[in-house]
Amino acid sequence: MDGLLTIANWVQNESFRGHFTFTRNDIDRAFPALSAVQIVQALWNLSERGILYSPWQSFFVILPTEYRLKGVVPPVFFIDQLMQFLGRQYYIGLLNAGEFYGAAHQRPQTFTCIVDGLPIRSVSRKGITMLFHRKANIPMAFTRQFKTQMGYINVSSPCLTALDLVLLEQHIGGLSRAATVIAELVPEMHFAEQPVELLQYFNAPIIQRLGYILECVLEEQQTADELYDLAKKAGISFRKVLLKVTKPTTENLNKRWKIIDNQSIEIDDI
């Protein structure tokens, strides 16, 4: 029995057991007699046959039958196992998180994770682009777990998602796109039920901009009031800040949120 068939049988047995991801170290341990060249050739052949997909170096996904024609699976299928492999805390964020709460109007073309530790390079393989945004401290207490075919994945809560959308608006297409997603998240956002610790992960201008968008752009007064009350409870002080840092200042000042309105925000029809 040659190396290719042996590894192919091992991969098949793993899938039968419900194990759909493995690492190069797993293969090395299972086949100590095979050379590195033999192992690489076997894994390459399985990839060419649409049985394996490697979204990351030395990390492999066994494709379920329904995905083999495409030769790739959505990142939600393997992201938790990949992050364990990389030794990182994570949560799915921004537009991808919004989809879990019904905010699918702005369908993302990429897959975004918020991670801790050192920066992780973004990667594009077989038409799927995974983006990683680093945070020094990951607010895992404000994430939710969703069941997938492979187990559970971490997703930012609606309130955390909204704050991240404002924080990272330049990475998703600007404040107008962020506001459109936030509008769809409002029914799931309940700042009155959040502990003050949530806001400690964001600086005051992010909170001010979100509050301004909720109150003055989306006209969601109750949600804006809840955020304002939570900010005051957290002892956060507001100072004058620009709505859009990269644009010229104006005289248009919102007194409550201390936001200098220097950009027009237009949301899409929902």
Side-chain angles (χ1 to χ4, degrees), residues 89-103:
Q89 286 192 320
Y90 81 97
Y91 61 84
I92 297 169
L94 303 180
L95 303 180
N96 298 101
E99 289 189 296
F100 285 88
Y101 306 108

Side-chain angles (χ1 to χ4, degrees), residues 255-268:
K255 293 183 178 180
R256 187 189 200 196
W257 295 101
K258 291 186 169 56
I259 286 290
I260 300 171
D261 182 358
N262 64 337
Q263 176 177 322
S264 175
I265 296 179
E266 298 180 0
I267 64 170
D268 296 343

